[in-house]
Amino acid sequence: MPYIITEACIGVKDRACVDVCPVDCIYEGEDQLYIHPDECIDCGACEPECPVSAIYPEEDVPENLQSFIAKNKEVFDSNTPPGRPNK
Ligand code: SF4
């Protein structure tokens, strides 16, 4: 069960999470950062680093943010997938 980046990241993209991810599986999209669901090892390091609390383990994503589970997955299949974060 990967971690998921949700709505609070949109327009913020603080990137503090990027620095602590041991497997570099956090990518930058146009609007927000995304965690690659197949690369995330569920270590949990990113969650407390987010200043806007946008990150949740998949099983704990609040009801009103459930659509972000699919969004974090599908964005990597798009024609313009997220790339390496701009630091
Ligand atoms: Fe990276 Fe760990 Fe966060 Fe997954 S849970 S995105 S591996 S820091």
Side-chain angles (χ1 to χ4, degrees), residues 20-74:
V20 299
C21 179
V23 294
D24 293 331
C25 69
I26 302 176
Y27 297 83
E28 182 170 348
E30 203 147 301
D31 54 346
Q32 67 164 91
L33 300 175
Y34 295 97
I35 293 171
H36 195 301
D38 298 331
E39 297 176 5
C40 174
I41 59 169
D42 289 345
C43 72
C46 55
E47 186 183 358
E49 296 300 321
C50 180
V52 294
S53 301
I55 307 176
Y56 298 90
E58 183 173 332
E59 60 271 27
D60 292 341
V61 175
E63 203 54 47
N64 61 324
L65 297 173
Q66 289 276 321
S67 64
F68 282 83
I69 296 174
K71 191 181 181 191
N72 275 253
K73 219 182 289 280
E74 288 162 5

Side-chain angles (χ1 to χ4, degrees), residues 74-82:
E74 288 162 5
V75 73
F76 290 99
D77 297 327
S78 73
N79 290 331
T80 53

